[in-house]
Each structure stands twice: as C-alpha cells, then as structure tokens.
Amino acid sequence: MKAKEIQELIDFISNSGLAEVKIETDEFKLSIKKNSEAPAAKNVENYYTQAQPNPVQEPEPAPKRNTTESEETSGQQLLEVKSPMIGTFYRSANPDSDFFVNIGDTIQKGQTVCIIEAMKLFNEVESEISGKIVKVLVEDASPVEYDQPLFLIEPQN
C-alpha cells in the first residue's frame, strides 16, 4: 500500500462514523483509531476544513529542514530545501495570510518557510541556513513526497 493510499484511507475513516479500523495483510498491518481528545501538533489554523479527530498513530518529529547541494545555476551554488515528510505543502498558515517566504526574500536561520500537513497535523519547516529564496518549486496546497525539493536558496556568504 502506498503512502497516498494510506492517507486517503485515513481521510475516509476520519469522515466516516467509524471509531476504529484494523487492516492486516501479508505485507503490513494498519490500525487507525479516532481519539477526539488528542492534542494538536502545532497551534496553526486548519487550512481548509474543520479540525478532525487525530488518529492515534504518533507522527515522527519533523526535522527542521534538509539541505543538499543542488545543481550549479548561473555560476552560483544553490541549496535545496527538501520536504521532511509526505504531506501537503502550504506556503502560509491559512488562506487569508501572506506567504511565509517569497522569491527574492532574504531568510534567516530558524525562520519558518512553509508548513507540511501530514495526517491532520501541521508541521512548520524552518530554514537551517540564511540566504535568499531563488525559486519556489511546489505549488501551494500541493501534495509532496519525502525528500522532494521545495525551494532553491542562494546561501549568504
């Protein structure tokens, strides 16, 4: 079962009247249980829908951000900001807010650059370096895969 299929199954179960589902095959075991008293991962407004009860599965802590050297562009060395998890990429905290960063913005280490929603939990992705945003590689509210490049950054010297 692929991650996207699991996410769709979780969304379906969240919207159904079921409180608990267990699936077991030769390849994997999956147990999902609604828990209406589970705390939210971050204090960020839900992007498009009302908050749903969170499955009991504990999410892994989100790494701040992964950077690797990218292709050399116009004689400059750029770094990629990569997705630390599978989820949905958001450039702002809610539809009415400004984007965290835009092309041409100078960012500082520790500054939030986006949010990745995974299993109804919102995880802020922070910059590990200071630099200038050169390119945004993903559309707002798009699904992203683990290790998928999100931004290109020109590091500050």
Side-chain angles (χ1 to χ4, degrees):
M1 191 172 225
K2 294 183 180 180
K4 184 176 180 181
E5 294 170 329
I6 293 172
Q7 181 64 45
E8 290 171 354
L9 179 62
I10 291 169
D11 291 341
F12 173 77
I13 293 167
S14 292
N15 294 325
S16 73
L18 299 173
E20 183 174 3
V21 173
K22 292 183 181 180
I23 300 173
E24 184 172 341
T25 68
D26 294 336
E27 300 174 359
F28 67 93
K29 292 181 184 181
L30 179 64
S31 177
I32 302 171
K33 183 176 180 181
K34 284 187 180 181
N35 183 359
S36 61
E37 296 178 9
K42 291 277 183 185
N43 188 15
V44 178
E45 287 184 49
N46 195 327
Y47 207 84
Y48 289 113
T49 60
Q50 295 296 321
Q52 298 290 326
N54 294 324
V56 172
Q57 297 174 345
E58 292 294 325
E60 294 181 26
K64 296 294 184 194
R65 175 174 118 339
N66 296 326
T67 56
T68 58
E69 292 186 27
S70 177
E71 61 194 54
E72 197 164 320
T73 307
S74 304
Q76 309 171 0
Q77 195 68 24
L78 301 178
L79 298 178
E80 293 176 335
V81 175
K82 293 186 177 185
S83 177
M85 65 189 67
I86 296 171
T88 304
F89 169 85
Y90 295 114
R91 293 187 63 193
S92 62
N94 65 56
D96 299 325
S97 297
D98 293 333
F99 292 150
F100 290 111
V101 294
N102 293 300
I103 295 174
D105 287 355
T106 300
I107 60 170
Q108 301 301 316
K109 182 177 181 175
Q111 181 177 341
T112 300
V113 293
C114 67
I115 291 175
I116 303 291
E117 177 193 4
M119 297 174 55
K120 306 290 182 196
L121 300 176
F122 292 83
N123 303 281
E124 293 182 356
V125 178
E126 297 176 352
S127 175
E128 292 179 353
I129 61 165
S130 297
K132 179 179 168 184
I133 301 289
V134 175
K135 188 169 186 178
V136 179
L137 302 172
V138 180
E139 292 293 321
D140 190 41
S142 297
V144 292
E145 296 293 324
Y146 171 75
D147 216 28
Q148 177 179 343
L150 304 174
F151 299 94
L152 290 179
I153 297 179
E154 179 185 333
Q156 282 183 340
N157 293 335

